[in-house]
Amino acid sequence: LWSVEQAAASGAAALKLLVPYHPDADLAAAQRAVAADVLGECRRLDVPLVLEPLFYGLDHRSDREAVVLTTVEHFASTGADLLKLPFPVDPELVTDHEARVAACAAVTERCEQPWAILSGGGGFDVFAEQVAAAADGGGSGFMVGRALWGEAARCGAADRPKVIEQTVLPRWRRLTHTVTAR
């Protein structure tokens, strides 16, 4: 485990803090305090902080929006430079684009800083739809992992350049166009 000071000394341009979080959990206040301490260190060392409060422990999939919005309310006021957030509604339960945009707009209303959507390990096409809804709802962008490059990580080394060229790069262009076109 590195401290903020060690990361800054090694040349880190920014830090990301993942906080597994549920607003009703016994540890919620302690988790917010840890985030505040890390942010204080980031400010002291002039290192931007991406804060990723990621929900867990939903009783029902339909609880997702309330939990995400409450989580945003708890962390938006921290002063983090960027919030990295899950899509605010369950994409299988809420399929209407306008309803998705409204949920993302509710996130934007609560944020004092830019926010980016995370991919959450789902497939690319679902994530691309979420990016569009987030951008239409005031989100600032995306931070993506496996939904973008998963195939490149799973293929053999000999096939990787081809997969990056034919799959990953077109996906990247599609996502960046989605965000910048709005």
Side-chain angles (χ1 to χ4, degrees):
L1 180 66
W2 275 29
S3 68
V4 174
E5 194 162 328
Q6 288 170 310
S10 75
L15 296 176
K16 182 190 85 154
L17 178 63
L18 169 64
V19 182
Y21 188 78
H22 193 291
D24 297 331
D26 291 340
L27 293 175
Q31 290 170 305
R32 291 191 304 272
V34 167
D37 289 347
V38 170
L39 180 62
E41 281 297 293
C42 285
R43 291 292 173 260
R44 183 176 72 79
L45 296 165
D46 197 29
V47 177
L49 177 65
V50 175
L51 187 56
E52 181 180 358
L54 187 58
F55 71 83
Y56 67 91
L58 295 180
D59 291 330
H60 304 285
R61 291 170 38 188
S62 60
D63 295 340
R64 182 172 174 155
E65 184 172 12
V67 168
V68 170
L69 292 178
T70 301
T71 298
V72 170
E73 291 168 358
H74 289 180
F75 286 96
S77 63
T78 63
D81 297 284
L82 176 73
L83 290 182
K84 180 181 176 186
L85 300 169
F87 197 63
V89 293
D90 186 307
E92 292 179 12
L93 295 179
V94 180
T95 58
D96 176 71
H97 180 74
E98 292 308 315
R100 291 175 170 186
V101 170
C104 292
V107 169
T108 301
E109 290 171 9
R110 288 162 173 79
C111 280
E112 298 177 17
Q113 64 276 89
W115 68 276
I117 187 168
L118 59 88
S119 65
F124 177 77
D125 290 329
V126 171
F127 182 63
E129 292 170 6
Q130 293 173 1
V131 168
D136 288 345
S140 300
F142 58 89
M143 295 180 79
V144 64
R146 292 170 302 227
L148 178 67
W149 48 257
E151 290 86 349
R154 290 187 295 273
C155 73
D159 294 329
R160 194 162 292 126
K162 178 179 156 188
V163 171
I164 290 171
E165 180 69 28
Q166 294 179 0
T167 302
V168 177
L169 189 55
R171 286 177 176 175
W172 176 257
R173 288 180 178 140
R174 178 177 167 192
L175 292 174
T176 56
H177 176 74
T178 297
V179 172
T180 58
R182 285 170 162 71

